[in-house]
Structure formats: C-alpha cells, structure tokens
Amino acid sequence: MTTINLTNFVCPLPLRRYPQIVMGHGSGGQMMNELIEHLFAPVFAGAGQPVPLSDAAVLELPDILANGSRLAFSADSFVVSPAIFPGGDIGSLAVHGTVNDLAMMGAQPLYLSASFILEEGLSLETLGQIVQSMAAAAQIAGVRIVTGDTKVVERGHGDGLYINTNGVGILPPGINPTPGRVTPGDVLLVNGPLGDHGIAIMSLRAGLQFETQIVSDSAPLNGLAAEMLKACPDLHAMRDLTRGGLAAAANELARDANVGLEIEETAVPVQLAVAGACEMLGLDPLHVANEGKLLAIVPAGSAEVVLAAMHNHPLGQQAALIGRVTETHPGVVVGRTAIGGQRVIDLPAGELLPRIC
Amino acid sequence: MKYLDEYRDAPVVRNVLAEIKRTVTRPWTLMEVCGGQTHSIIRHGLDQLLPEQIELVHGPGCPVCVTPLELIDKALVLAARPDVIFTSYGDMLRVPGTFVYAKTGTQANDLFSVKSQGGDVRIVYSPLDALKIARENPYKTVVFFAVGFETTAPANGMAVQQAAREGLDNFCVLVSHVTVPPAITAIMEAPETRVNGFLAAGHVCTIMGVGEYRPLAEKYRIPIVVTGFEPLDLAYGILNVVKQLEAGAYEVENAYARTAPNQGNLAAQKVINEVFEACDRAWRGIGVIPQSGYRLREKYVKFDAERRFPDVGAMQSIESDICRSGEVLQGLLKPDQCPAFGKQCTPLTPLGATMVSSEGACAAYYKYGRIQD
C-alpha cells in the first residue's frame, strides 16, 4: 500500500498575486474580495470615510432636500478604446460622464457608483492606474464613489474593461434647465473649442501623428455649470456635448423644443490642430465627440452675464456665443457658413467614417 | 488655418461671386465632376449664392457612389468568410448591397452588418495598414477594398508592389478603380446631356495632370476648368467656366495649379502604369463605360481577390428598380426629382449609394432640402 506523505504539503493551486485579471476575480469568492478590499476600496475611500463593503450604500443627503430640492439620478456606461488616451482614461471619463450628465440638469452631483466588467487577462497594474484616476477625478469633482460591482468575462469577451457609473445629485429649487423652456430669441453658448476628445481618440486608433498633440478635453463640468446657474438661475437648457458632438446636442434640443437653431460657424471655437485633423479625415468638427464641453441656451438678456461667469472659470475661458434660437425651420439646425451661405447641420447617420478622398 | 483660411475668406469669395453675376448673361449648366466638390458646395452653401442662371449638376465623381452593386456584394461575401480579414476605407462600410448571410439566412446588406454577424471587417486609413494586418495574421487572407479614382490608385498600387516584394501571399485587393476622362466622354455622348461646362476634379489632376482633358474639350467644344475644393476654388472655377462660355471658348484651364501641376505627379503615374491596366468597367447606376477602369496587370494577378476566390469573381447582382441614382450621377435628374427621394430612400434607409455616401448628391440634397421645409 502506498503511503501518502502530507508533511509540508503545499497546495499547487496559486490563489493570489496574479499580475492579470483571472476568472476567479469575478467569482464572488476570496479572490474577488481581495480585489475589492485591496484595489478598489482603499482608493475610493474618502478622507476618513471608508467605503462600506455591504451590498448597497446608505446616502446622507443634505438637509436641503426637505426644502423643495429634488434628487437627480443618472447612469452611464463607458466602453472607450483604447482605455488610456492623451488627456485621460476610461476611469476619469466614467466619473466625468456621469457628473456632467447630472450637472447638465442643474444638479449638484454628490455620490457615484462604479461597476466594472473586467476582461480576463487585464493587467492589475492597468486596473490600478485606472482606479486611481477615477478616485482623483471624483475628488476634483467633489463627489464620492460609494458602491459598486465587479464582474469578470472570459478573454475575448470584453475590450479590457468596461465601467458603468451611476450618480445622484441635488437639484435646488427654482433651477430647471429643460428643452421645454427654450424660446426663440435665446442665444447659444459653448464653453470652449470642440472636437478635442474625439480627435484625440481617433488619431490614437488610426496611428496618426500631428504637429501638436491633441489631448482629450475630459473634465467635470459641475463647477462651471454651478457658476453659470448662479449668474442666471433662469438658464433655459444645457447639454454636454459628448458623442455626436455639437450637432447631435443641437439637433436634440431643436427637436425637443420644436424650434430652429442657427449656428454661426465662424463663431464656433475649434483648435487649429483639430480643424486640420478633421480636414484630413473628412470629418465635421461639429460631429466630433467632446467630454468637457457644454452647450447652454440662455435668454438673450442674460448672455453677457453668463459668458462673463464662464470666462471666469478655468473650463470656460474660451467660451463663445455661437448662435441663436429661431421660430423658422422648427426642429432643424442651420449653419451660417463662413462665406455667407447656409446649410443644415444634421445628426451623423452612424459612426463617423473617414472619407476616401 | 494656413493654406486653407485664405480659400474660405468671405470678402474674397463674395468678390468672385459678384464677378460671376456681372459676367453671366444667360443660363448655363455646369457639372462638378467630383463628389468632394459637391460636398464642399453644399457644406459652404455656395449653390445658394450663385446667380439663378447658373445651375450646378452633380457628376459621377464619388467613388463610393459609382462602385457597382456587384462589387459591394462581392465585398460582403468576402468579409463574411471566416478565413478572411476584410479591410476598407471607412465610407464603404455603410453602402448597401443585396447579400444574404448564409449562416443565419438574414440579410447583411452592408459591411457593418457583416461585422456584427461575425465577419472580421476593419477600417483602415491606408492600404499600407492592410499590409500590416496581413503581416500580423499569416493564417488569414487579408483583402483590401481598393476603391477610388486616380487619386487612390497610386497608394493602392504601391501596396500591391510592396506585397509582391515581401512575398505577402496572404494579401489581395478587390479592385474597383475608375477613371474620370471616360466618364466625361460618356456624359457628353448621352443624347439627353445638358452639361455646358465642367469643373474637373482637382485631386485627380494632381495625379494625372491636365493633358488628357484637352482632346475632350476640343471634341465636345466644352470648357473644362480644373478646380479645387475650397469655396474660393469652386467660385473661381465657376467664374472661369462662365467666362469661357460667355466668350464661346472651350479651353482646358488649370485653376488649381497650386496643387495640380500640368504634368501631374509622374512618380504616381508610374506606379499606376506599372500595376494597373485600363479595362471596361461598370459604374453603379450608369452601366459599363469602355476603358473607364483599372484592373491589375497579369504580373500582379495573384493579388486579385476576384481571381483568388473564383466563386466571388463569378457573382452577379441585380439593382433595385426604384433607385434612379444613375440618372442623378449623370446630371440628368436632380436628387429631389426622384420619386423615392426622402420617402423610401433616406440616409438611414438608402436605396442607392448616392444617398449613403457623405459625398453623394442625394445625401447632400436631403440635408439641404430640410431647411426649406
């Protein structure tokens, strides 16, 4: 009979210290707990306020909720590739995206959730870097990441990682920017040059090099929006200019408010390098994505005061008045071109496709 | 933007427009050959600033629009093959074909749909990117959709030369190259033609020079002005055509000499001649135009995707009988005169390529027309 010697037995199954995500990190077992305890929780914890590891966060909402304020709630998912790009990464983007969605409703964002879908094989170093970036972005935006979730999918079933963020914020009484309030005569303001994010990502994917490196404009817009609302609590509508760019946001507003929008194309700020890249790729900068830009529609009488407030904020120094709301051609956005012609600024039909010639 | 803003300078463009108004005394129909010019005219609203007597009709110079349905279907079939990585410039991905995906029995009528059903379809910015993919994937055949006029032929030809030098046997091209002068001939030979003068495509002349237009101007007694793509280029080109028409002249003029030297780009012409030879080619919506296309020379025939996949090479397709893009491409029909325009046919439900391409006349009219609604 064979004797099995169990002295000094070491299980050959390695459990920890993988340099990459493995399926076990999403198992619900020890490995997942280690990932949350050692990678997510300490990074997301605010000063002296550890993130609870229970199933849901209990939120302390400021007293003003009782005074006619409302709760704003938003969700967004982030699937950007590559995950790290000039000017940001998927982590900071996931914070800015949801913060901005809340801010565009006039809300002050307070709490976020962060859910991760990780692909087997993702390096823990990359994940750590992205999580740190999320925490830094949350701190700058003044929000706390208080709950989340982790899943792992098999290699080939995800693009490294996807992040979903949800957020809640407080909407003070009397603040109500919504398309229904947009009125002919209102003016259109943007907070700076358009197209930086989309071109930064596209040039990286296409391996294009430009004389000036084009950096994403990813930024939290809640501070800027708060200053604008302080200057003009009656601000009629706001949209952050993400996928589809200014064209998409303007078309949505024109449709929802059933008004015409007219944009003076020469007044729209676009960086020289972005304009050059768009020429080369056959794209319209008004269709290209942004992650730190907004379109505000304000009563004409408030234009100056809102612009001044924008110019005083670091994210609005190049703010510009780019057009106005009209009664004519409801639902359509028209561009006044540099040479005095006019054209329809339409929604892009689908993904932006570089032209052949 | 240096070298660009000068050509969008509103006061200068207005001066040229004013001179056009002073010059024109009766109606003229001009054709801008290139889709890039159509796009620029609409994007800058130039058409609305011209005197009423000048009618612009849009020519067959959009490579996306004129690629025959058969080649789109061939591309879809190749892209659906599990052993193929199909590479293409971006704007071919939404062009509708008629291919039915055998695996699922569902219609996959553009390359995006084939991709969504498992085909390995990749957007490239240059045929050299496709070569790189071929080097990195030795166990797959990489097919590049070599579409375009004389402008894209040199780079596509160079990719074939490079593949031959490297012995990259897993690379091949689905060729859909067409050339401009035979198209001008076809338009002028059509009995119902209304074109009085041409704005020739500046980019094509950058490669080929202006010499091949002289016999055409002479034969059809028609002015041909080589024209660029910026508003000032286009206004200036129109002015020069109108001046000639009013004076009864029919010269070839080069109004784009800053980019298009009269002799063209000799090195690029050499590549084209080395790799390609002229052949009869079908243009979508127009039909076969003799000697209007390029095919690979015998020396490079092993890089021809239609030869490598003979079942694909033998395919035939039938066009929608509702779509009248062929007449639009010949300047015989304005897009909004087509009964399907804006109804069965919109940018989201295109029947023909003139509606799907960003340079297509129908897509441009669809956008513009909405201001007047």
Side-chain angles (χ1 to χ4, degrees):
Chain A
M1 187 176 151
T2 312
T3 310
I4 300 171
N5 182 0
L6 287 176
T7 316
N8 297 324
F9 174 79
V10 177
C11 175
L13 289 175
L15 196 61
R16 299 175 190 186
R17 298 204 180 119
Y18 283 99
Q20 278 103 23
I21 289 291
V22 296
M23 292 306 292
H25 284 126
S27 64
Q30 274 192 40
M31 289 179 71
M32 191 169 113
N33 278 336
E34 284 170 11
L35 189 71
I36 294 168
E37 270 183 58
H38 298 293
L39 199 141
F40 292 120
V43 181
F44 288 155
Q49 291 179 297
V51 175
L53 295 175
S54 46
D55 287 341
V58 177
L59 305 181
E60 290 168 18
L61 295 171
D63 297 340
I64 53 167
L65 199 54
N67 306 333
S69 295
R70 291 142 296 161
L71 199 62
F73 176 54
S74 181
D76 211 340
S77 297
F78 298 84
V79 297
V80 63
S81 176
I84 298 173
F85 47 82
D89 56 63
I90 192 171
S92 53
L93 196 65
V95 171
H96 296 155
T98 293
V99 162
N100 293 350
D101 283 348
L102 291 167
M104 293 307 101
M105 297 302 294
Q108 179 196 348
L110 294 175
Y111 298 105
L112 297 186
S113 71
S115 300
F116 295 82
I117 294 174
L118 308 173
E119 186 185 3
E120 188 183 20
L122 173 73
S123 99
L124 281 185
E125 194 184 336
T126 304
L127 179 61
Q129 189 184 338
I130 286 164
V131 169
Q132 295 274 2
S133 164
M134 279 187 93
Q139 192 173 14
I140 290 168
V143 294
R144 288 193 57 216
I145 297 168
V146 289
T147 187
D149 182 49
T150 307
K151 296 283 187 296
V152 177
V153 293
E154 284 178 25
R155 195 178 181 105
H157 289 234
D159 200 5
L161 80 166
Y162 303 134
I163 303 177
N164 168 276
T165 51
N166 293 272
V168 291
I170 299 290
L171 189 62
I175 300 294
N176 195 24
T178 170
R181 302 184 60 212
V182 172
T183 316
D186 287 356
V187 296
L188 275 53
L189 309 176
V190 293
N191 65 315
L194 303 186
D196 297 9
H197 177 76
I199 294 295
I201 298 284
M202 221 177 289
S203 54
L204 209 61
R205 281 186 198 155
L208 303 176
Q209 306 265 316
F210 301 106
E211 262 180 51
T212 318
Q213 192 192 27
I214 299 168
V215 172
S216 168
D217 62 342
S218 184
L221 292 170
N222 52 330
L224 174 69
E227 292 299 319
M228 292 165 68
L229 285 162
K230 200 159 41 167
C232 174
D234 187 34
L235 195 147
H236 284 172
M238 263 193 297
R239 281 286 160 90
D240 55 340
L241 307 177
T242 54
R243 284 167 305 165
L246 175 65
N251 271 284
E252 281 167 24
L253 283 167
R255 184 198 59 207
D256 294 350
N258 199 30
V259 293
L261 299 186
E262 288 192 3
I263 291 173
E264 290 296 333
E265 293 193 13
T266 49
V268 178
V270 178
Q271 276 201 70
L272 208 58
V274 171
C278 285
E279 283 296 328
M280 200 177 109
L281 296 168
L283 304 176
D284 185 342
L286 304 190
H287 283 157
V288 178
N290 313 272
E291 288 294 346
K293 295 297 175 321
L294 59 81
L295 168 69
I297 300 192
V298 303
S302 304
E304 276 186 32
V305 64
V306 178
L307 264 179
M310 292 168 89
H311 288 148
N312 282 334
H313 192 278
L315 294 176
Q317 284 170 356
Q318 296 182 68
L321 192 160
I322 60 159
R324 58 199 68 251
V325 180
T326 67
E327 280 181 45
T328 51
H329 54 79
V332 179
V333 182
V334 171
R336 297 273 169 200
T337 70
I339 61 164
Q342 60 174 8
R343 62 150 174 156
V344 168
I345 296 172
D346 213 350
L347 282 170
E351 199 177 342
L352 295 185
L353 300 172
R355 285 209 315 266
I356 287 178
C357 68
Chain B
M1 209 179 316
K2 203 166 182 228
Y3 307 125
L4 204 52
D5 286 346
E6 298 94 308
Y7 298 95
R8 293 180 182 177
D9 189 293
V12 182
V13 176
R14 273 201 292 272
N15 281 342
V16 179
L17 288 168
E19 200 179 340
I20 294 171
K21 277 188 187 124
R22 284 196 298 273
T23 308
V24 69
T25 62
R26 62 192 184 93
W28 299 111
T29 301
L30 317 186
M31 174 178 275
E32 82 277 358
V33 172
C34 173
Q37 291 170 330
T38 306
H39 178 81
S40 186
I41 286 165
I42 302 292
R43 179 175 167 190
H44 296 283
L46 187 67
D47 49 335
Q48 305 147 52
L49 302 172
L50 290 169
E52 273 181 18
Q53 296 103 313
I54 295 175
E55 183 188 8
L56 292 179
V57 292
H58 314 300
C62 163
V64 178
C65 302
V66 299
T67 296
L69 180 62
E70 211 149 270
L71 271 160
I72 303 294
D73 279 343
K74 287 175 183 184
L76 298 174
V77 170
L78 286 171
R81 288 181 66 110
D83 53 345
V84 161
I85 299 174
F86 194 86
T87 58
S88 172
Y89 296 123
D91 47 4
M92 296 307 294
L93 268 68
R94 288 190 56 243
V95 186
T98 60
F99 167 63
V100 175
Y101 200 62
K103 262 190 207 165
T104 56
T106 52
Q107 190 160 7
N109 67 356
D110 62 22
L111 285 166
F112 270 129
S113 312
V114 172
K115 185 170 188 282
S116 74
Q117 295 186 43
D120 193 344
V121 178
R122 303 187 193 181
I123 294 177
V124 291
Y125 294 77
S126 146
L128 301 177
D129 296 341
L131 284 182
K132 186 165 174 266
I133 294 170
R135 282 184 212 109
E136 289 165 357
N137 295 274
Y139 301 111
K140 294 262 187 163
T141 299
V142 173
V143 182
F144 175 68
F145 204 174
V147 172
F149 281 83
E150 295 94 324
T151 41
T152 54
N156 295 348
M158 275 172 67
V160 171
Q161 286 176 325
Q162 183 68 24
R165 269 197 296 274
E166 288 183 35
L168 263 182
D169 289 337
N170 66 327
F171 175 79
C172 60
V173 287
L174 181 62
V175 181
S176 181
H177 276 301
V178 280
T179 57
V180 170
I184 290 183
T185 304
I187 287 160
M188 292 314 297
E189 292 286 343
E192 56 282 66
T193 189
R194 301 188 298 125
V195 178
N196 303 120
F198 284 100
L199 306 176
H203 288 167
V204 170
C205 298
T206 303
I207 304 293
M208 304 306 287
V210 302
E212 53 190 4
Y213 293 95
R214 293 210 172 90
L216 295 172
E218 191 68 35
K219 181 173 179 191
Y220 299 108
R221 302 171 73 84
I222 192 162
I224 301 178
V225 176
V226 177
T227 303
F229 298 82
E230 294 305 318
L232 181 58
D233 288 320
L234 288 157
Y236 189 58
I238 292 165
L239 173 64
N240 286 352
V241 177
V242 171
K243 273 184 176 170
Q244 285 201 46
L245 287 169
E246 293 285 343
Y250 44 88
E251 305 286 326
V252 173
E253 268 183 80
N254 187 356
Y256 196 49
R258 74 174 188 280
T259 306
N262 285 342
Q263 78 279 14
N265 181 331
L266 298 175
Q269 289 169 26
K270 192 171 165 221
V271 174
I272 293 176
N273 290 333
E274 222 258 318
V275 177
F276 298 108
E277 61 190 1
C279 65
D280 296 352
R281 175 141 319 254
W283 294 52
R284 189 168 193 185
I286 297 178
V288 174
I289 302 179
Q291 298 296 290
S292 68
Y294 289 141
R295 67 175 170 221
L296 290 172
R297 286 188 185 276
E298 201 55 36
K299 181 181 172 191
Y300 293 106
V301 86
K302 71 171 179 175
F303 295 102
D304 186 341
E306 293 193 66
R307 296 278 193 101
R308 193 165 302 190
F309 300 95
D311 52 328
V312 173
M315 277 176 58
Q316 291 189 326
S317 304
I318 299 164
E319 276 282 4
S320 150
D321 53 1
I322 309 173
C323 177
R324 296 175 67 183
S325 61
E327 291 160 76
V328 172
L329 288 167
Q330 295 172 77
L332 302 175
L333 190 75
K334 292 272 189 186
D336 52 2
Q337 292 167 339
C338 169
F341 178 82
K343 299 182 183 89
Q344 298 100 317
C345 186
T346 70
L348 287 177
T349 55
L351 291 177
T354 46
M355 186 59 96
V356 78
S357 162
S358 60
E359 293 181 7
C362 294
Y365 264 63
Y366 183 82
K367 289 181 179 182
Y368 169 62
R370 288 177 52 218
I371 305 181
Q372 299 165 324
D373 284 346

